[in-house]
Amino acid sequence: QVQLVESGGGLVQAGGSLGLSCAASGRAFSRYAMGWFRQAPGKEREFVAAIDWSGGRTNYADSVKGRFTISRDNAKNTVYLQMNSLKPEDTAVYYCAARYSLYSVNYASGYNDWGRGTQVTVSS
C-alpha cells in the first residue's frame, strides 16, 4: 500500500494559479502510474490528469487541458499538478491516486491508493 499526502491547496482568485504536490511513501513509486481527481460538493469524483511511470505520457480531462500540467519526480517520490488560469468551476477537493501499473487510466476505479485530498477554492 502507498501512503499519499497532498499539499498546496488554498484560496485563489479566478485567473490565478496554484501548484499541488503529492508525496508518496515506499520504494516502488517509480513503478506506479499516478493520477489527480477532484470532487466538488454534490458531484461525482472526476478525473483531472494522469501520468505514466516515467512521466513520458500524460492525459488530461478536456475541462483542464491547456491550463493544468501534471508532472512527477521519481527521485523525490512526488507528483505535481500545476494549475493555471483557474476558474470558479475548478473549486473542489483534489485527490492524488496511485495505480499499481506502469500506465495510467482516466477512471477512478483503476487506482489502488488514495490520499485524503486538499481543498482548492477559486473565487470569482
Side-chain angles (χ1 to χ4, degrees):
Q1 188 175 11
V2 180
Q3 275 72 50
L4 302 169
V5 179
E6 303 95 337
S7 62
L11 173 64
V12 64
Q13 287 191 330
S17 298
L18 273 179
L20 303 183
S21 298
C22 173
S25 65
R27 292 176 290 180
F29 177 77
S30 63
R31 298 200 293 271
Y32 298 151
M34 299 296 295
W36 285 97
F37 290 76
R38 67 187 182 187
Q39 188 166 17
K43 294 191 175 181
E44 299 274 325
R45 188 170 298 192
E46 66 173 358
F47 170 75
V48 175
I51 188 166
D52 289 350
W53 67 281
S54 68
R57 189 182 76 165
T58 57
N59 187 20
Y60 297 93
D62 288 344
S63 59
V64 307
K65 205 170 290 184
R67 300 188 297 122
F68 290 12
T69 302
I70 188 171
S71 61
R72 66 189 295 160
D73 185 338
N74 287 342
K76 295 183 178 180
N77 277 19
T78 302
V79 62
Y80 306 96
L81 185 69
Q82 178 62 37
M83 306 183 293
N84 299 329
S85 302
L86 282 160
K87 305 175 181 181
E89 51 263 44
D90 294 318
T91 295
V93 177
Y94 283 70
Y95 297 90
C96 172
R99 171 173 163 82
Y100 297 170
S101 169
L102 297 177
Y103 302 104
S104 64
V105 294
N106 63 358
Y107 48 90
S109 61
Y111 290 80
N112 301 92
D113 294 311
W114 293 81
R116 293 190 172 188
T118 185
Q119 176 71 46
V120 172
T121 303
V122 184
S123 64
S124 57

